[in-house]
Amino acid sequence: MRPFALHRPAALAEAVQFLTDRGDAARPYAGGTELMVVMKQGLARYEHLVDLKRLPGLSDLAFDEAARTLRLGALVRHREVELSPLVRAVWPRLAAAERDVANVRVRNTGTIGGNLCFAEPHSDIGTLFLLAGCRVHLLGPGGARELDLTEFLTGAYETALLPGEVLTHVVLGPLAPGTRYGYRRFRFHERPSLTVGVAVTTAGDRVTAARVVVGACEPVPRRIPEAEAVLSEADLAGVRGTALREAVSAAVQPMDDAAGGAEYKQALAGILAERALRDALEGGGAA
Amino acid sequence: MSQSERPRTPIEITVNGRRHRLSIEPREFLLDVLRNRLHLTGAKRGCEMQICGACTVLLGGQAVSACSLLAADADGGEVVTIEGLEQGGALHPVQQAFVDCTALQCGYCTPGMIMASVALLGENPDPSEDEIRAGLRGNICRCTGYKPIIAAVRRAAGHAEEGGDGHD
Amino acid sequence: MTDRPFKYVGKSLPRADARDSVTGRTRYTADLNFPGVLLGKVLRSTVPHARIVSVDTAAAREIPGVVAVLTAADLPALVKETRFGPVLKDMPILAEGRVRYEGEPVALIIAEDDLAADEALESIWVEYEDLPVITDIDAALAPGAVVLHPDLLGTGQIKDVAAQPDLGRNICHQYHYTRGNTEAVFATADHVFEHTYTTPMMYHVTMENPAAVAMPEGDGLIIHVGTQYPFLVRQMVAGILGWDLNRVRIVVPAVGGAFGSKEYMNIIPLAVVGALAAAAPVRLELSLEEAFRSMARHGSRVRLKTAVSKDGVLLARQCEVHMETGAYADSGPRVMRQAAYRVPGPYRFEHLQVDAYCVYTNKVVAGAYRGFGATQATFAYESQMDEIAHALGIDPVQLRLKNLLQQGDDFMPGDTPIDGDLPKALQVAAARAGWSERPARPGRALGVAACTKNTASGPLVSQAMVRLNNDASATLLVGTAEIGQGALTVLRQICAEELDVPPERIRVPRPDTETTPFDQRTSSSRSTVQMGLAVQRAAQDVRCQLLDTAGKMLGTDPAQLVSDDGVITGPAGQRLSYKEVVASFAGAFGSEVIGLGSFKPAVIKGPPPVNGQVSGFWEINAAVAGVAVDLETGEIKFEEFITVTDAGRCINPATAHGQETGGTGMGVGQALFEACHYEDGYFRNPNLVEYRVPLATDVPSRMETIAIENGDGPGPYGAKGMGESSILTVGPSVANALFRATGVRLRNLPLTPESVWRALRSHR
């Protein structure tokens, strides 16, 4: 790997200033899970890495009871999400899904901020975060701003980050008390080739809101409104998995790649959506 | 860029209980420092992308990929490698179980596999067979078919009936 | 020695290298440190097939820290022969005017450090003029296809296969065999089945990537390299250099897995020319991606046409085999020959015809892989057995029992007869799995397969030396490479048994061609049997000398002496320790007793197609696989595998069973996951992100390995070799289980979820 200088600014503002000044020659560095692979292979070169890991304020993991939102600092590692009693209490599905992300070494070092900023499409957390709703908080030379995750992820390996901007934290939710979650991934190779999340909010026997998210098979994870429509405003007893399956399969436009043919992933997305719905309804948001 | 022009950074790391003060290049990975500077060659180079697990060491008690962790990130940290498990000439129970269960063949994955198992048992002292499989899915072995390795971890967890001389 | 119960043989003693391995002290090539060692890096072709118009290395040579930059043009000044290869000398050390696969070495950089080397790699400019790409077997054989090797090439050092190339058709070797008259039988048989089965190119994915260090030493050269073939590599290097064999010294450190991929190893000649050019030690350590681009297992296409009577008796078979060997022959002709030899399967055929071809394409060079052509052949013939069973409504186990060769039957006239009990192995596997009590149901079924593999064929020599020191410790010198299989452990147990010295007092250093006696090679599951016999004889030689000396010391007939636990006792109860006997052997100031042993099979030519390839023994295997299939997604969960093999006798049961669980594990990858993907000759997945190997979560949770031990093998104590058997049955038994669970027959490995899904969809 090519030489670079490693910088450890004392404050976030200093980091932003440095990144702004150096432009493309500098890159923020957190867990390094993805970054080190591309740097080792010579696919990316930076003269300066700005290590964010020792900055204060980027590692918090907190739940806002009133808003029912979960705040995850950019430097929160996958493993912390997996093991956090707080996450297990307020959104057990997320903790459970994290348990199977990559392997334990990746989870021990990889951060959620790094994962989102790298925007690798074959990833779990984009789908999961979108399932709950996710606001991405950024700090740049022009100050702080906030984007919806769908605005932040603009393509495969592409984000809305402006020069010098750093992701500081995400806010997930609201995690409504009556919402149940299901999440399925399909992984043939090392990384998931398909991720599907289903969230169903109920009041009594009525489904009042539903979210269906598909990821890893398109450049960015996205909600599937056609599928959500199938679930919304339905009687819980009348929710039909097959209709969901068909709606999801019809709506997704998977990439045809080494992880599988488009046609297969289309079918698979429907199957997994049906299974995720079943998990949601039967598991009540736990397991 | 000549060697003297390259950026350097001082680090202080404790490896297997011994403190080292080193001046390294930021681009050096923990595996480079262990193997090239400290001559601890137990952790192996493999896939270089955190999949095979041959380079697994413990940092602060947690399993990490030494091939992909900048050594600078271990600054101030406590690293344990395969060379640091033996205590006063006595093998660690996981090492002993790997010997007893013949849970190794070519041996190249063995240091990483043992470190991963030590980390796993540190968090879950009595894992089920499925938990062991899931816990070791980041460590590839091409020789054994994993069966004796899983038996060794069970044995290290106190299930003495596993492995050993079971084939006699 | 056989009149008393075994002391060490038959016991699961810990591996000789266990303690070193679990403490991180086992040293592989990359763990060795040499003062002043330079780094070698390879510039590889970025295109699959092209004429090299020019290579400009001027800028690279100017980079500080770069010691040498070599291209093909620099080699004649360094070596006698610039091309090498075991059967055909078709592989250039560095590409000569043409590249034939993506990743082929074009230039070699020798530098002081990685930065200088990387900078040099980037500053070399190669101009390529693209040539048509031979993407697969069909493209290679198509009329008018570009000819990859227009020149007739010299033959290599392995003389067991005389290549019969047809270079105009991109064929580097062919094999033809006819017995009886298949066409006549096809014309009248009740049933004729014809199917084609394919397997893809794969990579062995050894955990240790290839590495080598070469260093000039006096008028010679020392090469530290984890090869399975120290003596053949020495011969290869000496041939390249035009030197006497004794000027080349191959030292083999620990080997981090081989499975056939570490035979000739094309990095060795690169390290050699690098060290000669730099006049300094040079280290080459490949990345995993480079390793993927250096060696492969053959892709295959096997067409089987089989005539069967209505009650299930196999009558005649025609086999057409194509093995895809990539850009250069390497061991391909030999692998193809064995695939062709084995492809009828372990069944009686009065009428048989085999036509087989080893085909060049613009892909990574394919060579040996655990099974040596048998994995591809077994997948074909064992899949077709189940297709026949299904069509005839006969139980697959019964169909096999009806047709299997019995112990003592000829597989091929002139070859060693089948020396294991295949029907019994199959019955044991079926019984153990509960075959008859567990009928298939939708999505869940058992599948069966059986096979045999001729092994250790031809005049393979092994020699061993035992040195008993005057403190009664011993050193066993063997050229067998420890590649994980446990050979050093097993050979030490044999030595201990014969010498009557505890194994822990016997050291078995790793091979060094300067000091260890000759061994043909570590391959073909042969070491326990053939090197084992050499070790047994060497240890017996030491014992004879000890007893002779003791007889003289005691004034008795050596035949009257007994030895136990390192003590020789005379008829009158006189006792002499080994130590005392060794001391008196040659003097009081220390000495040693040296014993030599050899294994040299009788040279039997045999009629064609045996042609001197008489089998040392036959590995046999029968297995039952249990799968659960997700009928929606096509995913196969491989839940159980019961494998039965004939071990003759397990010298060390734990390492013997380790070969079976290990073969099963590799078989899982072959059955379900592994394939090198190419697009227009470009290798798309040379990494572990997109090339999936089995993880701990992928192997069957019930894995039972059963070893038949009748003590009737040709090795010491009746042992047989058994390193390759279980991998052979995994693919076909899983494919057969898939069929029984779903009605879907897949004839192409691997059985990926998507391929199963597609088949299920068209099946409905």
Side-chain angles (χ1 to χ4, degrees), chain B residues 140-154:
Chain B
I140 295 172
C141 170
R142 282 297 263 181
C143 294
T144 64
Y146 300 103
K147 181 181 170 173
I149 291 173
I150 292 158
V153 179
R154 292 274 292 160

Side-chain angles (χ1 to χ4, degrees), chain A residues 97-286:
Chain A
E98 278 281 11
R99 196 165 58 213
D100 290 322
V101 167
N103 61 52
V104 68
R105 298 184 308 280
V106 169
R107 300 200 299 279
N108 278 336
T109 52
T111 65
I112 64 119
N115 187 307
L116 292 178
C117 290
F118 205 81
E120 155 72 64
H122 301 106
S123 160
D124 291 90
I125 64 169
T127 303
L128 285 158
F129 286 6
L130 201 52
L131 192 58
C134 174
R135 301 293 291 175
V136 180
H137 292 254
L138 310 171
L139 183 71
R145 64 177 180 137
E146 131 180 26
L147 294 173
D148 197 82
L149 181 59
T150 52
E151 300 164 319
F152 177 76
L153 296 173
T154 54
Y157 312 104
E158 285 172 11
T159 68
L161 278 168
L162 297 172
E165 231 172 10
V166 169
L167 190 157
T168 57
H169 63 282
V170 297
V171 175
L172 307 179
L175 298 163
T179 304
R180 312 173 197 193
Y181 300 90
Y183 178 72
R184 290 269 177 155
R185 70 162 71 70
F186 191 81
R187 182 166 57 188
F188 180 72
H189 291 121
E190 178 63 17
R191 293 182 170 149
S193 52
L194 186 65
T195 54
V196 182
V198 173
V200 180
T201 310
T202 53
D205 287 341
R206 302 279 311 158
V207 176
T208 54
R211 272 190 187 228
V212 178
V213 181
V214 173
C217 70
E218 295 182 9
V220 293
R222 67 176 175 105
R223 292 174 63 175
I224 310 290
E226 304 89 325
E228 293 177 357
V230 170
L231 299 179
S232 298
E233 302 303 323
D235 230 7
L236 205 45
V239 166
R240 284 187 18 255
T242 48
L244 175 67
R245 177 200 285 224
E246 283 160 18
V248 169
S249 285
V252 295
Q253 294 174 307
M255 302 176 279
D256 208 358
D257 60 18
E263 201 187 10
Y264 177 51
K265 283 190 272 190
Q266 227 165 5
L268 208 52
I271 295 165
L272 295 199
E274 188 179 352
R275 292 180 184 184
L277 173 66
R278 199 165 61 220
D279 294 345
L281 297 181
E282 288 168 9

Side-chain angles (χ1 to χ4, degrees), chain C residues 650-703:
Chain C
C650 296
I651 306 291
N652 182 317
T655 58
H657 284 265
Q659 286 302 296
E660 293 294 284
T661 59
T664 302
M666 288 198 93
V668 171
Q670 183 174 279
L672 299 179
F673 309 133
E674 293 181 46
C676 297
H677 286 295
Y678 281 87
E679 278 171 31
D680 303 326
Y682 290 89
F683 189 0
R684 293 305 189 196
N685 60 337
N687 57 67
L688 290 181
V689 174
E690 289 166 319
Y691 184 99
R692 176 171 173 185
V693 298
L695 307 175
T697 41
D698 296 318
V699 295
S701 55
R702 179 184 179 200
M703 200 192 274

Side-chain angles (χ1 to χ4, degrees), chain B residues 40 47 73 120 159:
Chain B
L40 294 170
C47 72
D73 281 350
L120 173 69
H159 300 273

Side-chain angles (χ1 to χ4, degrees), chain B residues 110-124:
Chain B
T110 308
M113 197 66 85
I114 288 176
M115 298 316 290
S117 302
V118 168
L120 173 69
L121 291 172
E123 293 175 11
N124 182 356

Side-chain angles (χ1 to χ4, degrees), chain C residues 411-431:
Chain C
F411 179 89
M412 185 68 77
D415 198 356
T416 306
I418 296 290
D419 57 2
D421 192 340
L422 267 162
K424 184 185 166 195
L426 180 58
Q427 284 163 322
V428 169

